[in-house]
């Protein structure tokens, strides 16, 4: 009987010891993990651990980086993906941490989704220069614009450049941006406008986004005013562009009789912008 009790005692002690060893593993809590669609494409990662550790990451089973060379609990990394090639858009990564006792802990396999296609390997090979050139040409492409002025319809083109972009979290769309825009209206009494304004973005189900904004405009010849607007981002195009449609009301505050409407379509993207 004593022998059975002794064996049972050893089993309990052994089980407790195993559990204690398991509990000694460092816990890893990922806060944010995404790749920016803007160039340069950057993998932003932030996480914290249950105790101070050194941390490394292995991406796609072949790219290895040091994240924290000193012992700490809060960890952040910004890794430039522009020089990498991947075989698919869903990229796996593993975190490896080491505590002050020298114990190694591996995280579970995590996954990120690339918001672009240009550096994914294909049978035809990848050519980031060609892809970048196409992207720039699409970015510079002006948007067609229908202008309704004094009851008459005029065709125009407009091009908007995002100057400063504000991000709160995530990577799909910013919280807002400040943009500069030039418009030309063919055969209209007032042909050229320059405007600067602010837009605020909201993500909604069913489409990509809704943005509302207001801008100030001038034709440099005394026709100055303000323009409230609403934009619907309808669907993604080449993963870095969003096809949108926009309505804008333009009015001269000093004389509300001088007003006109605009309806336009185009491609939205945040190339060559300052991110804040």
């Amino acid at each position: 009987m004593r022998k059975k009790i002794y064996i049972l005692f050893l089993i309990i002690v052994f089980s407790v010891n195993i559990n204690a060893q398991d509990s000694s593993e460092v816990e890893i809590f990922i806060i944010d993990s995404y790749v920016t669609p803007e160039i340069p494409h950057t993998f932003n990662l932030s996480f914290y651990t249950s105790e101070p550790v050194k941390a490394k990451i292995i991406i796609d089973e072949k790219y290895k980086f040091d994240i924290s060379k000193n012992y700490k609990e809060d960890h952040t990394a910004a890794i430039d993906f522009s020089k990498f090639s991947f075989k698919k858009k869903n990229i796996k990564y593993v975190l490896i941490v080491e505590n002050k006792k020298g114990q190694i802990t591996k995280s579970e396999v995590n996954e990120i989704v690339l918001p672009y296609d240009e550096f994914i390997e294909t049978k035809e090979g990848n050519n980031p220069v060609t892809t970048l050139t196409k992207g720039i040409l699409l970015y510079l492409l002006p948007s067609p614009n229908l202008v309704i002025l004094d009851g008459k319809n005029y065709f125009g083109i407009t091009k908007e450049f995002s100057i400063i972009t504000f991000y709160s979290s995530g990577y799909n769309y910013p919280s807002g941006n400040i943009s500069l825009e030039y418009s030309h209206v063919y055969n209209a009494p007032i042909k050229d406008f320059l405007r600067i304004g602010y837009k605020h973005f909201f993500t909604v189900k069913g489409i990509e986004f809704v943005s509302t904004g207001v801008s100030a405009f001038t034709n440099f010849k005394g026709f100055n005013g303000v323009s409230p607007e609403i934009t619907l981002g309808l669907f993604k195009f080449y993963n870095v562009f969003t096809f949108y449609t926009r309505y804008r009301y333009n009015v001269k505050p000093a004389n509300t009789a001088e007003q006109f409407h605009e309806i336009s379509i185009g491609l939205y993207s945040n190339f060559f912008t300052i991110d804040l």
Side-chain angles (χ1 to χ4, degrees):
M1 182 68 180
R2 289 183 179 179
K3 185 176 181 181
K4 291 181 178 179
I5 293 174
Y6 179 71
I7 292 173
L8 180 61
F9 174 76
L10 287 179
I11 292 173
I12 293 173
V13 170
F14 184 73
S15 300
V16 170
N17 185 50
I18 294 244
N19 290 332
Q21 289 180 357
D22 290 341
S23 63
S24 68
E25 288 191 350
V26 178
E27 293 185 89
I28 301 171
F29 306 94
I30 295 177
I31 302 171
D32 222 349
S33 174
Y34 65 91
V35 179
T36 61
E38 295 80 20
I39 295 175
H41 302 297
T42 304
F43 175 31
N44 290 319
L45 173 67
S46 61
F47 63 95
Y48 70 92
T49 52
S50 57
E51 60 181 282
V53 297
K54 295 179 181 179
K56 297 181 179 181
I57 187 173
I58 299 178
I59 302 170
D60 201 29
E61 299 182 345
K62 57 182 177 181
Y63 301 116
K64 188 174 182 179
F65 298 91
D66 289 318
I67 296 177
S68 303
K69 294 184 178 181
N70 299 318
Y71 294 105
K72 55 195 300 188
E73 297 178 359
D74 295 314
H75 311 267
T76 59
I79 301 171
D80 186 357
F81 267 20
S82 299
K83 299 179 181 180
F84 302 156
S85 294
F86 301 102
K87 294 182 179 180
K88 52 187 177 181
K89 296 191 69 171
N90 294 67
I91 308 301
K92 296 180 179 180
Y93 70 91
V94 176
L95 298 171
I96 303 174
V97 301
E98 178 183 353
N99 64 11
K100 293 181 179 179
K101 297 178 182 179
Q103 296 170 318
I104 305 295
T105 301
K106 286 187 178 182
S107 73
E108 61 183 7
V109 178
N110 299 285
E111 192 174 87
I112 51 174
V113 180
L114 299 180
Y116 57 85
D117 291 321
E118 59 262 41
F119 297 112
I120 296 177
E121 296 173 351
T122 64
K123 291 181 180 179
E124 294 79 14
N126 66 73
N127 190 337
V129 175
T130 301
T131 305
L132 180 59
T133 302
K134 290 180 180 178
I136 293 174
L137 290 176
L138 284 172
Y139 175 71
L140 295 176
L141 190 68
S143 301
N145 201 21
L146 173 64
V147 177
I148 305 172
L149 175 64
D150 295 331
K152 297 181 180 180
N153 297 336
Y154 299 92
F155 174 76
I157 56 173
T158 185
K159 182 57 196 173
E160 178 183 11
F161 296 94
S162 180
I163 302 173
I164 301 175
T165 302
F166 305 96
Y167 281 91
S168 55
S169 63
Y171 64 86
N172 287 328
Y173 295 101
S175 58
N177 71 10
I178 296 174
S179 62
L180 188 68
E181 183 176 349
Y182 170 75
S183 302
H184 178 76
V185 187
Y186 295 97
N187 302 319
I190 305 171
K191 292 182 170 59
D192 299 287
F193 294 94
L194 183 69
R195 69 183 78 236
I196 185 169
Y198 173 79
K199 296 175 179 59
H200 197 81
F201 289 77
F202 305 90
T203 55
V204 295
K205 293 183 179 180
I207 61 175
E208 292 294 319
F209 67 82
V210 172
S211 77
T212 57
V214 63
S215 57
F217 70 86
T218 180
N219 72 337
F220 298 102
K221 296 180 180 179
F223 195 164
N224 309 315
V226 295
S227 308
E229 65 179 58
I230 183 169
T231 303
L232 303 181
L234 300 178
F235 56 85
K236 282 282 192 181
F237 186 77
Y238 280 137
N239 290 300
V240 294
F241 295 97
T242 302
F243 181 83
Y244 72 81
T245 181
R246 172 180 299 152
Y247 167 74
R248 177 184 285 146
Y249 175 67
N250 306 271
V251 63
K252 189 174 182 180
N255 184 1
T256 56
E258 295 188 57
Q259 47 84 24
F260 62 97
H261 308 267
E262 290 178 82
I263 300 173
S264 58
I265 59 174
L267 298 177
Y268 165 80
S269 186
N270 277 328
F271 284 134
F272 311 117
T273 184
I274 300 173
D275 295 335
L276 298 179

